[in-house]
């Protein structure tokens, strides 16, 4: 009897140790504008799901997703007001129809023992998870406006469906601030199989990491504007990856094992290539007959489409590394490809068409990890217990969009950090009226993308800007901080708000930001919506109540060692709550400024959009790794242009358009997509800098129109050395890249599928 009691105690202890803290903590997130009684966190077992591998759990999971019945599904354009975190404990959940997560939904499984979504033999639907269904001939949500969703910690299993019956694991046409993380796709390996693990046909991504595809006809079949994908593994697929189309795509840590074919970028054929470019680094292909199939050749169209760069690609028993339309272009075997590419190059003069070996980037040791560039997957703190988590709301913060939560949040952050615990930011809109200081040692995790908003007079003076979140008291302070899964923004006019000021100098393990985003305007509670800031095409008048921020993020001069992954810093171009996503005019002075003289920063799958002076600016810095930077120029420019309302601040090395635009024709005083000043050792593996509008008209951004929305979009200035850009894509800019006011590359010399593309740029 005592043995039985001991055994029961051991089993109970094992269960308690293995249970994921997210399942065990008290959930009290609030959605201030969703109505009384709305619940953010839902455990599917509370809705009747069994997860026993026998019961059909489709109805229960659907109820967990949709309750109450007014969440954003068919006919709803988008919303932030009704978020949900749908949690799946470990188990096997049989489903017979597609699970459709409504807008602003996170599906989260237990990372310690990932739940399995397994299709029944008679499964009906387009994807076990259909992230954007076709209720009509069109996707339910405009794919370029699908934000703020994620799926993590699952196994997606189609093996119960006959191999020759069409089946898709996840259908995922989405855009920024979305992710798939730690997901395994299991498909049949029978020769007759037609299953596809992941299918994407459109959108503007994006980021994914730590995905494994086993079996299937195609592991991932994908078309989207741009993506960073890290740590994808393909085992025993007939074809690992089919690129349906893209503008630019960066693969980091890609592993392809025992597949019939690695990456297929032949869509469209040589006369109408659909793939803009792919960049593959720090990757391994093994036991695969052909690594990459391409249709790029002399005379292929568009001129630069189908461009490739390979850097640090290990081959093991891969006879053909790159196959072209007429046979082998690059032989394989068992070797390491240090550097190889095809497309147009400027080093720095050009264009020159190349197809062959290239000198790989000389990487600083401080940017490296075990197998190439340093990277780190989002921490989920899977080994912690519920007692290791401190709730913001239990600490007194309200998150109701109206209460001043400054003191309560500060107290919660300090208490969690001093106790070595994680602060859980329960869902809500947390209004703060003064700077929140983030001490070293802080770990902050959000529930379903809560948002902290700066409000009030402290943030009201652009001549005396103040940070909302101040990470480290002084530039160069030692320590480490980790942020994940939350948003920062403003409420009402905040012309003096710097949303994040990063001062920490981290040694050892870098600090990190994962799925942390800025959103200025365009949502209920922001007071920067169509009611206040409806666009006024043709008017250069600047409405002071729509000046939403001074700067989105500032990395100061002595800060160092920060890893940023899937971070989208967005000044809203439209109202997310509006039924037609009507455009708005909201002003933010600056995007991301890095002026660290110490350097060592990783920007992995980041985007910065719609900021007045610039989106990315690197000043007096060094040792920067970036993958697939993405920017958009404000839609209202050049009416008004970038000269007002934010005066150039010399101390910040702001661009002075009044001076620099002298003698430059066209729309010169438009925001820079990327500006690099007095900086060295910059390594950019993919960049998309886009200017689609001239005062809300898109007629300027086509090839036929002459790509003349603005004059210039990327600038290198001053003492700039060793700047390396693979896959530079621009839209709507006459010049693709400038050096000290002189254009180095013109769009018409580098035409691609929609952008212009320079596959290899180096300053030397």
């Amino acid at each position: 009897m005592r043995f039985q009691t001991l055994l029961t105690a051991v089993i109970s202890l094992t269960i308690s140790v293995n249970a994921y803290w997210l399942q065990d903590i008290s959930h009290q997130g609030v959605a201030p504008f969703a109505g009384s009684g709305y619940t953010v966190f839902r455990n599917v077992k509370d809705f009747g799901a069994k997860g026993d591998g026998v019961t059909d759990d489709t109805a229960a999971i659907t109820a967990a997703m949709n309750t109450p019945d007014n969440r954003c599904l068919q006919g709803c354009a988008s919303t932030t007001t009704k978020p949900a975190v749908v949690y799946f404990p470990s188990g096997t959940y049989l489903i017979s129809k597609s699970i459709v997560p409504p807008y602003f939904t996170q599906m989260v499984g237990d990372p310690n023992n990932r739940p399995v979504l397994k299709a029944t033999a008679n499964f009906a639907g387009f994807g076990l998870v259909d992230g954007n269904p076709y209720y009509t001939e069109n996707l339910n949500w405009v794919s370029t406006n699908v934000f703020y969703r994620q799926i993590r910690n699952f196994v997606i299993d189609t093996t119960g469906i006959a191999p020759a019956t069409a089946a898709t694991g996840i259908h995922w046409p989405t855009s920024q601030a979305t992710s798939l993380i730690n997901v395994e796709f299991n498909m049949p390996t029978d020769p007759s199989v037609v299953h596809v693990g992941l299918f994407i046909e459109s959108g503007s991504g994006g980021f994914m990491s730590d995905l494994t595809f086993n079996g299937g006809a195609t592991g991932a079949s994908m078309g989207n504007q741009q993506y960073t994908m890290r740590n994808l593994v393909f085992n025993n697929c007939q074809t690992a990856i089919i690129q349906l189309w893209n503008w630019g795509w960066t693969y980091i840590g890609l592993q392809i094992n025992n597949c019939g074919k690695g990456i297929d970028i032949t869509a469209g054929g040589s006369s109408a290539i659909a793939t803009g470019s792919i960049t593959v680094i720090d990757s391994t292909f093994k036991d695969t007959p052909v690594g990459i199939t391409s249709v790029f050749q002399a005379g292929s169209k568009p001129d630069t489409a189908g461009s490739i760069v390979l850097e640090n690609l290990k081959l093991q028993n891969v006879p053909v590394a790159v196959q072209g339309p007429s046979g082998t272009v690059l032989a394989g075997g068992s070797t390491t490809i240090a550097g190889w590419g095809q497309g147009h190059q400027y080093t720095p003069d050009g264009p020159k068409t190349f197809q062959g070996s290239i000198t790989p980037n000389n990487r600083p040791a401080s940017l490296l990890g075990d197998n190439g560039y340093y990277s780190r997957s989002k921490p989920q703190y899977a080994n912690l217990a519920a007692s290791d988590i401190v709730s913001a709301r239990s600490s007194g913060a309200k998150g109701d969009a109206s209460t001043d939560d400054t003191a309560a949040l500060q107290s919660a952050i300090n208490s969690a950090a001093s106790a070595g615990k994680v602060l859980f930011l329960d869902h809500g809109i947390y209004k703060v009226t003064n700077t929140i200081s983030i001490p070293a040692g802080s770990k902050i995790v959000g529930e379903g993308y809560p948002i902290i908003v700066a409000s009030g007079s402290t943030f009201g003076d652009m001549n005396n800007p103040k940070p909302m979140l101040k990470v480290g008291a002084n530039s160069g302070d030692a320590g480490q901080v980790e942020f994940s899964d939350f948003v920062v923004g403003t409420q009402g006019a905040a012309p003096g708000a710097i949303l994040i000021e990063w001062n920490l100098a981290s040694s050892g393990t870098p600090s990190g930001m994962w799925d942390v985003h800025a959103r200025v305007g365009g949502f209920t509670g922001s007071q920067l919506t169509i009611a206040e800031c409806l666009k006024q095409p043709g008017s250069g008048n600047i409405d002071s109540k729509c000046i939403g921020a001074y700067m989105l993020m500032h990395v100061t001069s002595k800060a160092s060692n920060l890893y940023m992954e899937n971070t989208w810093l967005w000044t809203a171009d439209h109202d997310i709550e509006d039924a037609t996503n009507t455009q708005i005019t909201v002003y933010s002075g600056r995007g991301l400024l890095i002026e660290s003289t110490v350097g060592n920063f990783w920007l992995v799958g980041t985007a910065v959009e719609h900021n007045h002076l610039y989106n990315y600016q690197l000043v007096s810095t060094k040792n920067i790794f970036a993958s697939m930077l993405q920017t958009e120029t404000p839609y209202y420019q050049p009416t008004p242009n970038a000269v007002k309302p934010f005066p150039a601040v010399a101390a910040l090395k702001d661009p002075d358009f009044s001076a620099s635009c002298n003698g430059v024709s066209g729309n010169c005083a438009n925001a820079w997509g990327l500006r690099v000043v007095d900086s060295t050792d910059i390594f950019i593996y993919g960049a998309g800098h886009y200017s689609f509008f001239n005062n809300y008209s898109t007629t300027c951004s086509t090839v036929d129109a002459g790509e003349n929305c603005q004059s210039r979009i990327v600038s290198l200035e001053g003492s700039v050395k060793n700047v390396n850009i693979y896959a530079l894509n621009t839209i709507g800019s006459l010049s693709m890249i400038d050096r000290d006011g002189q254009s180095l590359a013109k769009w018409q010399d580098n035409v691609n599928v929609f952008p212009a593309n320079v596959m290899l740029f180096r300053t030397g």
Side-chain angles (χ1 to χ4, degrees):
M1 191 68 177
R2 282 181 296 177
F3 174 77
Q4 183 64 42
T5 301
L6 177 62
L7 181 61
T8 301
V10 169
I11 292 172
S12 298
L13 178 62
T14 301
I15 292 172
S16 66
V17 169
N18 288 337
Y20 186 36
W21 59 264
L22 186 64
Q23 178 177 332
D24 294 339
I25 64 172
S26 174
H27 286 280
Q28 49 194 328
V30 295
F33 302 101
S36 178
Y38 184 89
T39 301
V40 175
F41 181 87
R42 301 104 185 275
N43 185 323
V44 294
K45 290 199 170 182
D46 293 337
F47 291 80
K50 301 298 183 183
D52 58 9
V54 177
T55 306
D56 187 337
D57 285 323
T58 307
I61 295 171
T62 299
M65 293 283 174
N66 297 344
T67 300
D69 291 334
N70 60 350
R71 293 201 66 219
C72 186
L73 276 169
Q74 187 171 3
C76 171
S78 58
T79 186
T80 67
T81 63
K82 296 172 182 174
V85 176
V86 182
Y87 179 74
F88 292 70
S90 60
T92 297
Y93 298 85
L94 286 184
I95 56 175
S96 55
K97 295 181 181 178
S98 294
I99 302 302
V100 180
Y103 201 94
F104 217 123
T105 298
Q106 291 186 9
M107 292 175 58
V108 182
D110 182 346
N112 294 306
N113 188 4
R114 291 180 300 185
V116 179
L117 294 181
K118 185 174 178 63
T120 60
N122 62 344
F123 178 87
F126 187 20
L128 275 63
V129 179
D130 190 347
N132 198 347
Y134 285 95
Y135 294 119
T136 66
E137 68 274 12
N138 298 315
L139 290 167
N140 186 58
W141 298 295
V142 176
S143 59
T144 52
N145 289 340
V146 178
F147 313 136
Y148 307 113
R149 52 169 43 194
Q150 53 177 258
I151 299 174
R152 53 185 162 106
N153 312 326
F154 284 90
V155 175
I156 306 296
D157 189 341
T158 67
T159 59
I161 302 173
T165 299
T168 300
I170 296 179
H171 177 219
W172 195 250
T174 61
S175 290
Q176 293 88 354
T178 68
S179 59
L180 302 179
I181 295 175
N182 191 27
V183 179
E184 181 176 325
F185 298 79
N186 289 331
M187 297 170 280
T189 56
D190 187 90
S192 66
V193 69
V194 295
H195 295 199
V196 175
L198 173 64
F199 183 75
I200 304 171
E201 70 270 45
S202 61
S204 179
F207 178 80
M208 298 181 186
S209 72
D210 304 296
L211 309 181
T212 299
F213 301 82
N214 298 316
T218 307
S221 182
M222 302 180 292
N224 194 286
Q225 290 177 10
Q226 65 281 311
Y227 250 103
T228 292
M229 293 188 168
R230 190 178 63 76
N231 290 0
L232 272 60
V233 180
F234 296 84
N235 300 314
N236 306 309
C237 308
Q238 291 179 3
T239 299
I241 297 169
I242 294 176
Q243 295 277 186
L244 303 173
W245 68 277
N246 72 36
W247 296 350
W249 213 282
T250 301
Y251 295 99
I252 305 170
L254 175 65
Q255 296 182 50
I256 297 176
N257 303 311
N258 197 37
C259 295
K261 187 188 301 180
I263 307 175
D264 185 333
I265 60 170
T266 63
S270 293
S271 62
I273 301 174
T275 296
S277 67
I278 60 169
T279 302
V280 183
I281 68 170
D282 298 343
S283 298
T284 301
F285 295 0
K286 181 179 179 181
D287 297 330
T288 297
V290 179
I292 299 171
T293 57
S294 164
V295 287
F296 177 92
Q297 62 183 359
S300 59
K301 296 294 179 181
D303 292 347
T304 65
S307 294
I308 299 172
V309 160
L310 311 175
E311 187 176 280
N312 189 28
L313 173 60
K314 296 181 176 63
L315 304 180
Q316 298 178 40
N317 188 28
V318 179
V320 178
V322 180
Q323 179 176 285
S326 301
T328 299
V329 174
L330 176 63
S334 295
T335 186
T336 296
I337 299 170
W340 187 91
Q342 62 187 27
H344 278 192
Q345 67 178 13
Y346 288 73
T347 56
D349 297 324
K352 178 182 177 182
T353 300
F354 74 105
Q355 187 178 54
S357 296
I358 61 173
T359 301
N361 285 328
N362 184 12
R363 306 175 177 187
S366 60
L367 290 178
L368 301 182
D370 293 336
N371 298 302
Y373 285 107
Y374 172 83
S375 65
R376 182 184 173 196
S377 295
K378 178 167 65 177
Q380 300 192 57
Y381 309 108
N383 295 324
L384 297 186
S387 58
D388 297 313
I389 310 300
V390 174
S391 159
R393 279 181 43 81
S394 293
S395 303
K398 300 297 184 184
D400 60 8
S402 58
T403 301
D404 186 346
D405 281 324
T406 309
L409 264 186
Q410 187 67 73
S411 176
I413 291 166
N414 292 346
S415 295
S418 63
K421 298 185 176 184
V422 173
L423 179 71
F424 185 67
L425 197 62
D426 316 79
H427 191 86
I429 300 176
Y430 295 87
K431 173 183 173 181
V432 300
T433 58
N434 214 326
T435 298
I436 298 289
S437 297
I438 310 295
S442 296
K443 295 178 173 66
I444 301 177
V445 176
E447 177 187 41
Y449 292 128
I451 185 166
I452 306 172
V453 293
S455 179
S457 59
T458 297
F459 306 106
D461 184 359
M462 72 170 64
N463 295 311
N464 186 24
K466 301 291 185 183
M468 182 182 74
L469 298 186
K470 188 175 186 180
V471 185
N474 301 292
S475 188
D477 281 359
Q480 199 228 23
V481 162
E482 295 176 1
F483 289 165
S484 57
D485 293 309
F486 67 90
V487 182
V488 293
T490 58
Q491 186 179 78
I498 300 170
L499 298 188
I500 300 175
E501 178 182 286
W502 200 280
N503 292 310
L504 279 187
S506 300
S507 59
T509 301
S511 291
M513 289 172 49
W514 296 265
D515 288 282
V516 175
H517 311 291
R519 183 172 72 237
V520 177
F523 65 97
T524 300
S526 69
Q527 300 172 16
L528 299 166
T529 65
I530 57 172
E532 299 86 10
C533 302
L534 180 66
K535 69 175 181 179
Q536 301 292 334
S539 173
N541 295 329
I542 297 168
D543 190 338
S544 60
K545 72 175 182 294
C546 296
I547 302 177
Y550 182 85
M551 183 187 296
L552 302 188
M553 184 169 177
H554 183 192
V555 179
T556 59
S557 61
K558 296 180 181 179
S560 66
N561 274 11
L562 172 61
Y563 180 87
M564 298 170 62
E565 185 175 272
N566 197 26
T567 295
W568 181 39
L569 307 180
W570 185 57
T571 301
D573 59 90
H574 68 271
D575 189 335
I576 296 177
E577 319 298 352
D578 182 65
T580 58
N581 288 160
T582 298
Q583 291 172 329
I584 56 177
T585 299
V586 176
Y587 303 96
S588 167
R590 302 153 184 86
L592 171 61
L593 170 61
I594 298 178
E595 57 169 350
S596 163
T597 59
V598 185
N600 298 332
F601 296 92
W602 298 262
L603 310 180
V604 182
T606 67
V608 185
E609 295 188 305
H610 312 139
N611 296 284
H612 199 70
L613 297 175
Y614 58 79
N615 286 305
Y616 290 91
Q617 179 164 288
L618 311 179
V619 174
S620 301
T621 191
K622 63 183 179 180
N623 296 352
I624 307 288
F625 168 83
S627 69
M628 198 43 69
L629 303 177
Q630 191 253 316
T631 68
E632 287 183 4
T633 300
Y635 296 178
Y636 55 79
Q637 287 183 345
T639 310
N641 65 19
V643 175
K644 294 181 179 180
F646 299 96
V649 177
L652 296 176
K653 296 288 182 74
D654 280 343
D656 184 352
F657 291 101
S658 296
S660 66
C661 286
N662 286 332
V664 179
S665 60
N667 295 329
C668 173
N670 280 27
W672 289 110
L674 169 65
R675 185 168 181 251
V676 181
V677 182
D678 297 332
S679 297
T680 63
D681 296 327
I682 310 298
F683 306 92
I684 299 174
Y685 292 81
H689 299 294
Y690 311 140
S691 186
F692 293 115
F693 293 86
N694 181 329
N695 192 221
Y696 293 105
S697 170
T698 59
T699 57
C700 60
S701 58
T702 65
V703 169
D704 290 342
E707 300 275 354
N708 58 15
C709 300
Q710 66 187 80
S711 304
R712 313 170 301 174
I713 202 162
V714 176
S715 181
L716 311 178
E717 302 173 27
S719 179
V720 171
K721 294 170 57 180
N722 198 25
V723 174
N724 308 271
I725 306 176
Y726 295 162
L728 170 63
N729 299 308
T730 67
I731 292 174
S733 180
L734 293 170
S735 176
M736 298 181 67
I737 186 166
D738 285 58
R739 177 77 182 261
D740 293 323
Q742 299 298 313
S743 176
L744 298 179
K746 305 288 189 183
W747 75 268
Q748 60 267 35
D749 296 328
N750 301 287
V751 173
N752 201 280
V753 290
F754 184 37
N757 172 276
V758 172
M759 200 58 197
L760 171 60
F761 174 86
R762 285 184 170 138
T763 57

